[in-house]
Amino acid sequence: MILYIAEKPSLARAIAAALPSPQKKEDGCIWLPNGDCVSWCIGHLLEQAEPHHYNPAFKSWSLDHLPIIPSEWQWQEKAATKKQLSVLKKLIKKATTLVNAGDPDREGQLLVDEVLHYSKASAQKLKSTQRLLINDLTPSAVKKALNNLRPNAEFAALSRSALGRARADWLFGLNLTRAYTIRGRQAGYQGVLSIGRVQTPVLGLVAARDKEREDFVAKDFYQVWANIEDKKSNRFRAKWLPSESCQSYMDDENRVLSLPLAKNVASRITNKPAIVTQANYKKKNQSPPLPYSLSALQIDAAKAFSLSAQQVLDICQTLYERHQMITYPRSDCRYLPSQQHRDAPCVIKALTNAEGEIAKGAASADASKKSKAWNDKQVTAHHAIIPTTQSYKMASLSKTENLVFSLIARQYLMQFYPDYDYLASQIKLEIEGGQFEAKGNTPISLGWKTLLPRKNKTNNDEEQSELPKLTKGEETWCHEGIIDEKVTTPPAAFTDATLLAAMTGISRFVTDKAIRAILKETDGLGTEATRASIIELLFKRDFLMRQGKQIHASKTGRAFIDCLPQQLVTPDMTAKWESSLNAISLGEASYQTFMQNLEKNLTELLDKSREMPTAALQNLPAPAKKAFTKRKASTGRKTTGKKTTTSNARRRPKASS
């Protein structure tokens, strides 16, 4: 008997639909005519045991108990899903072959693996377990995946990485939250001061940006432009490039702060010849942007439709599970496997039967084109989010579902359009000994850009749409020197889009150069599956607040950040964690080493908590009731219910505060 264990019921139904009939549905499983069975988890059926199950004394919060570090880690059954776990345990015992059909990411891998181990599956069964990777719930895609099972053992490192993250989050969040909450109560604040290895640096980013904006002092600066005309009466503008001798009148970003200097230059160049010192014209092309990962989609949807990260994730889950119109949404990958290109004609045909601009775009798409998106070397357990052959169902979507699906479909269709071709122009001139520069981009062929909505032309000083063809040494004429008076602006407040972008491109905010050097472009703060919920959690706990589209730290959030050591506030440590966890998933680093280093660091941070200055936490507003939600298990999936197992945890002795 083969037992397929899906991550959730909807996935189990999709697997069963691709297998032979007639089928018999029972409570918690679906039997196939040949005796095989499809069953499912309901997200995580297990979670980390609570501290008081290791030692009843840990039910009360005391600095004397910390650090709480289990010597033998234990899972606990979730009360709400015990019945389904019981079904699975019986089926696992009966099965001869097991198939892990968790979602194609590290959490999906662990989610089923933990059930197999908890159910005490034999070593032989575990060794022969297969892995089913499904990115698309349509019957044809599921059948294809069923014909391409891989040994589950190939993904052991991925499971260890997820386990390391879950346990590290438990240790870090539980111990430090208790420590700082107790210190906060000693200062008079009665709320929970929760610490998370992702949520706290995110709050730190927002608080730091708010402070930077508050401390910002605006400065006037000046740009000088030359209005140029050539012998064929073509007109354009060239910007003054100040020389070394002007440095004393400029700031560290090379902006001219002296109005008299700007006026002097403008008057000197008026009605003077302008000699071309350089004229470069180069045909360039721009490939279509890659299909979406979840974060890239959330960022674009926030910019275009002001949707929050959580809203986009929820919409994507509906498009994936209920409508089956997109592939697996919790993906951090923007590439596609080469073999998927064979499905392109079917997907494009389905999109032509959709509606509106998407149908028009699909009608002109060339399915034979193969962009750089198809790259097996860049694809891991999952690939970019793309439409399925169910695209014709667009009429059944809600307004927001339609908006998000249209973004996904458009990004996919771009892969079947020519490159955007343009002429990049650069002209340098000398006027009265001063250097001036003009830049321009002239579209030649829009290619994939025809799929984008037309925007009203904006006056971009730095880049003009078209420049005349000039040659070196040619004489033109400067009719007038113009001064643009400008004011420096503070850094923009975070929005949903820019906060997500900061979390995904965290290396820009890492202060330690050594850590920044080891980070890859794809290393981020949190994962595709958890970023949205982390941002929402900070709002729920009253650490963040909204002002229109802007996101700011609340008074409580600012005060909390002011009390914390720099290591917890900056993303450096978390970025290093993510890099280490990624290395574990690739088999390039050791789980044991990661945990040993973390435990040592945890002890140091707990020592610092005892010395925390608490003045900032006095006289804060009382936390809202919504802030006192039950702490979730550190697994990245929703969890509910109580737990029932016991074990031992070691407690290192610490001096009382």
Side-chain angles (χ1 to χ4, degrees):
M1 166 196 159
I2 299 173
L3 173 63
Y4 301 89
I5 305 175
E7 176 160 336
K8 54 181 80 72
S10 59
L11 180 58
R13 288 192 294 270
I15 293 169
L19 292 167
S21 293
Q23 298 174 357
K24 182 183 177 185
K25 293 183 181 179
E26 287 188 0
D27 197 7
C29 67
I30 302 169
W31 288 97
L32 306 179
N34 65 353
D36 293 343
C37 186
V38 180
S39 188
W40 54 85
C41 301
I42 307 169
H44 279 279
L45 301 181
L46 301 164
E47 55 191 353
Q48 303 289 344
E50 291 287 356
H52 62 270
H53 289 297
Y54 291 104
N55 184 335
F58 296 161
K59 200 158 193 173
S60 64
W61 289 24
S62 168
L63 292 176
D64 292 336
H65 295 159
L66 308 180
I68 300 170
I69 302 176
S71 54
E72 291 183 16
W73 287 88
Q74 295 293 318
W75 294 109
Q76 293 180 176
E77 299 181 13
K78 291 169 59 180
T81 53
K82 268 189 175 185
K83 185 178 178 182
Q84 184 59 25
L85 180 59
S86 178
V87 169
L88 274 174
K89 284 196 286 188
K90 290 174 184 175
L91 290 171
I92 289 168
K93 189 173 183 180
K94 185 183 290 187
T96 53
T97 302
L98 302 168
V99 178
N100 179 338
D103 281 351
D105 57 16
R106 67 183 180 189
E107 289 304 317
Q109 182 66 38
L110 176 63
L111 189 145
V112 176
D113 280 350
E114 66 193 21
V115 171
L116 298 181
H117 287 277
Y118 184 80
S119 302
K120 295 183 171 58
S122 69
Q124 184 56 40
K125 280 186 186 179
L126 291 174
K127 188 177 180 181
S128 63
T129 299
Q130 299 290 295
R131 184 65 164 105
L132 174 60
L133 297 168
I134 295 176
N135 283 290
D136 179 342
L137 295 185
T138 57
S140 60
V142 174
K143 284 179 182 177
K144 192 180 292 184
L146 284 164
N147 290 325
N148 288 281
L149 295 178
R150 294 164 65 179
N152 194 53
E154 287 183 14
F155 302 88
L158 195 67
S159 200
R160 280 195 297 275
S161 172
L163 188 64
R165 188 191 63 76
R167 289 177 175 175
D169 279 349
W170 189 94
L171 287 172
F172 190 83
L174 182 140
N175 282 284
L176 292 174
T177 295
R178 288 191 174 204
Y180 283 102
T181 298
I182 292 167
R183 295 290 286 125
R185 287 173 182 169
Q186 291 170 350
Y189 181 72
Q190 295 307 307
V192 174
L193 293 175
S194 63
I195 296 281
R197 54 116 185 170
V198 177
Q199 62 167 290
T200 307
V202 170
L203 177 59
L205 283 178
V206 179
R209 177 64 58 87
D210 287 348
K211 190 172 188 306
E212 194 178 352
R213 285 169 55 81
E214 289 167 8
D215 295 344
F216 179 81
V217 178
K219 294 184 292 188
D220 294 326
F221 70 99
Y222 310 93
Q223 293 177 342
V224 181
W225 293 85
N227 283 344
I228 306 293
E229 184 176 1
D230 69 4
K231 292 176 182 177
K232 295 180 181 178
S233 299
N234 295 307
R235 292 189 173 229
F236 61 96
R237 292 189 356 142
K239 183 182 176 183
W240 176 44
L241 306 176
S243 65
E244 293 267 341
S245 61
C246 300
Q247 286 296 319
S248 58
Y249 300 97
M250 298 161 66
D251 64 10
D252 54 7
E253 293 186 39
N254 292 325
R255 292 178 293 213
V256 173
L257 305 179
S258 169
L259 180 57
L261 173 60
K263 285 182 175 179
N264 179 49
V265 173
S267 63
R268 280 176 56 201
I269 64 172
T270 298
N271 289 321
K272 295 290 169 58
I275 309 301
V276 177
T277 58
Q278 199 173 311
N280 297 317
Y281 304 90
K282 189 175 181 181
K283 282 187 178 180
K284 292 187 175 182
N285 65 302
Q286 188 177 342
S287 301
L290 294 167
Y292 284 123
S293 63
L294 177 59
S295 289
L297 175 61
Q298 287 169 321
I299 290 167
D300 277 5
K303 289 177 181 176
F305 314 124
S306 299
L307 294 173
S308 72
Q310 190 63 49
Q311 285 175 309
V312 176
L313 177 56
D314 292 344
I315 289 167
C316 283
Q317 284 296 132
T318 302
L319 289 172
Y320 173 62
E321 294 180 13
R322 185 192 306 166
H323 301 293
Q324 297 183 4
M325 289 175 63
I326 65 169
T327 58
Y328 179 68
R330 294 170 182 253
S331 174
D332 61 354
C333 179
R334 299 193 67 173
Y335 290 88
L336 298 164
S338 296
Q339 67 174 15
Q340 201 281 336
H341 192 265
R342 290 179 295 192
D343 300 334
C346 295
V347 176
I348 292 171
K349 184 179 179 182
L351 289 170
T352 61
N353 295 323
E355 57 184 36
E357 294 300 315
I358 293 302
K360 289 180 189 175
S364 300
D366 180 0
S368 66
K369 288 191 74 68
K370 198 171 188 179
S371 74
K372 64 181 180 181
W374 279 273
N375 186 336
D376 291 333
K377 292 181 180 178
Q378 298 290 343
V379 177
T380 51
H382 37 75
H383 59 64
I385 307 168
I386 61 172
T388 68
T389 53
Q390 306 285 331
S391 304
Y392 59 84
K393 293 181 177 178
M394 277 187 79
S396 66
L397 303 182
S398 69
K399 182 180 177 181
T400 51
E401 287 168 354
N402 203 302
L403 291 173
V404 172
F405 178 77
S406 294
L407 281 181
I408 295 168
R410 186 179 74 190
Q411 203 85 351
Y412 179 72
L413 288 174
M414 287 176 180
Q415 312 311 311
F416 306 98
Y417 273 69
D419 288 353
Y420 164 57
D421 297 326
Y422 62 98
L423 182 69
S425 311
Q426 181 197 42
I427 298 172
K428 288 192 175 182
L429 308 108
E430 184 177 311
I431 313 172
E432 291 296 292
Q435 301 300 312
F436 291 76
E437 180 183 53
K439 291 181 179 179
N441 279 341
T442 308
I444 298 171
S445 172
L446 288 177
W448 57 267
K449 284 200 172 188
T450 57
L451 293 172
L452 296 175
R454 291 187 178 181
K455 294 181 180 178
N456 294 326
K457 287 188 177 180
T458 55
N459 181 24
N460 186 338
D461 290 339
E462 304 295 325
E463 216 167 74
Q464 297 157 78
S465 61
E466 198 163 348
L467 291 177
K469 289 286 182 67
L470 301 176
T471 57
K472 185 177 179 179
E474 187 173 340
E475 183 175 304
T476 62
W477 189 258
C478 175
H479 284 286
E480 187 181 13
I482 301 291
I483 298 173
D484 276 358
E485 298 188 19
K486 298 195 171 187
V487 180
T488 56
T489 55
F494 278 117
T495 62
D496 284 283
T498 57
L499 186 54
L500 271 170
M503 292 174 75
T504 54
I506 200 59
S507 60
R508 291 180 292 126
F509 299 91
V510 169
T511 56
D512 189 317
K513 290 181 180 178
I515 295 174
R516 196 186 307 141
I518 64 172
L519 291 176
K520 300 173 186 174
E521 286 184 12
T522 54
D523 286 338
L525 207 53
T527 67
E528 302 294 322
T530 60
R531 286 177 189 133
S533 60
I534 286 162
I535 293 172
E536 291 302 312
L537 187 64
L538 287 167
F539 281 110
K540 183 183 285 187
R541 288 180 172 160
D542 290 334
F543 291 158
L544 290 182
M545 61 182 186
R546 291 186 188 274
Q547 291 179 357
K549 289 185 178 182
Q550 296 182 353
I551 295 175
H552 297 280
S554 66
K555 184 178 179 182
T556 301
R558 284 280 294 271
F560 186 26
I561 288 297
D562 288 343
C563 294
L564 295 175
Q566 199 68 4
Q567 185 185 351
L568 295 179
V569 172
T570 63
D572 298 41
M573 179 187 69
T574 304
K576 194 173 180 180
W577 271 31
E578 289 291 358
S579 186
S580 297
L581 291 168
N582 185 54
I584 292 169
S585 71
L586 297 173
E588 298 170 356
S590 161
Y591 161 86
Q592 286 80 7
T593 302
F594 171 73
M595 294 300 289
Q596 286 167 5
N597 291 338
L598 180 127
E599 289 178 17
K600 180 182 176 184
N601 186 221
L602 174 62
T603 303
E604 294 168 355
L605 287 168
L606 287 170
D607 286 340
K608 289 182 180 178
S609 73
R610 289 169 167 79
E611 303 162 5
M612 178 182 87
T614 57
L617 297 174
Q618 296 172 5
N619 304 316
L620 288 175
K625 284 187 178 180
K626 63 183 179 181
F628 290 94
T629 54
K630 188 178 184 296
R631 186 180 61 81
K632 305 292 185 187
S634 312
T635 53
R637 296 295 202 272
K638 283 188 177 180
T639 56
T640 56
K642 297 178 182 178
K643 300 117 185 180
T644 55
T645 60
T646 61
S647 183
N648 297 310
R650 73 181 185 275
R651 174 175 59 81
R652 293 175 186 160
K654 286 284 177 185
S656 168
S657 63

